[in-house]
Amino acid sequence: MQASHVQLLSGSTLLLTTVLLLWRCYLLAMAVRSLRAQCERARQDERRRIAADIHDDLGQNLLTLKLDLATLRRQPVRADQAAHLERMSAHIDVTSRSLRAIINGLHPVALEQGLRCAVERQLHEFARANGIEFNLEDTCYHSDGAGPAEATVLRVLQESLSNIARHAQASEVRIALARDENQLSLTVHDNGVGMPDGPVRRGLGLMGMERRVADAGGWLALASTPGHGTALTVAVPNARGFAQHQACQ
């Protein structure tokens, strides 16, 4: 009787210890996720600051140079000088386009009017360039923004559409954009050829999306059936979700 009591007590102690360890693992995973999200927010803030500095400094210098060059081109010059000024103007135009690309890479300029507008613009440009129809479902997207979560989702959409244009052989893409009080989610579903059976081949594009979403504290899921298209879903905590999660810690 006493031995049975000791065994029962030992079993209960082991169960309690296991539960405590699992709880601590859960708290640690949540803390890591929160830290990743904070790091991504800090990176996005720094990118936004650098993009603004580049725009305000180098952008204004290029504009001034362009105006000065335009003044010179209006004055009478030799033919060889006119050709040289024309080449200089072309170089300034190329530099300006490169500068805009760098700024957009640091912080998507398209987000200045919010994610919904950026998504719509991206989809219209995608349809125009590739002849692929799209359907956007955003009835569950209740509040707009332009923070780190929105930047992550927009980058994932851009990479997904690029992959569809190159590989999917699709005629239609369905996009679902949603937000609740905790997270922002995006699903991109094409009706293309799908992915072959077997393990998913993770190219640089997919790995980049996974890393970007993980750094934002979110998750990514990929589902595909040969001949029936591919669906990619991502969800990242939004600003309110960050605050609520940190408060729970």
Side-chain angles (χ1 to χ4, degrees), residues 125-245:
E125 177 61 25
F126 169 78
R128 184 195 64 79
N130 300 284
I132 300 176
E133 297 180 355
F134 71 87
N135 179 272
L136 174 61
E137 174 58 52
D138 61 354
T139 55
C140 293
Y141 184 70
H142 300 301
S143 60
D144 210 357
E150 288 80 5
T152 298
V153 166
L154 180 61
R155 294 300 193 199
V156 169
L157 174 65
Q158 291 170 336
E159 182 62 30
S160 298
L161 293 178
S162 177
N163 289 339
I164 290 170
R166 287 181 293 174
H167 307 300
Q169 302 177 34
S171 61
E172 183 183 16
V173 178
R174 299 197 306 274
I175 293 89
L177 186 64
R179 186 201 298 274
D180 59 26
E181 62 180 7
N182 293 317
Q183 69 179 17
L184 171 65
S185 64
L186 170 79
T187 296
V188 182
H189 188 186
D190 67 73
N191 66 346
V193 297
M195 302 176 69
D197 289 327
V200 176
R201 294 182 58 187
R202 281 172 161 72
L204 292 177
L206 180 56
M207 288 191 297
M209 285 190 287
E210 289 176 328
R211 182 173 59 253
R212 186 184 294 275
V213 171
D215 288 343
W219 54 267
L220 179 150
L222 189 66
S224 182
T225 303
H228 296 279
T230 301
L232 180 144
T233 300
V234 298
V236 295
N238 56 39
R240 184 175 177 183
F242 287 144
Q244 289 180 341
H245 177 68

Side-chain angles (χ1 to χ4, degrees), residues 2 8 31 50 65 72 84 93 107-108 136 158 160 190 207 247 249:
Q2 185 176 3
L8 181 60
I50 294 173
L65 186 60
L72 287 175
H84 185 62
D93 289 340
H107 178 67
L136 174 61
Q158 291 170 336
S160 298
D190 67 73
M207 288 191 297
Q249 302 302 314

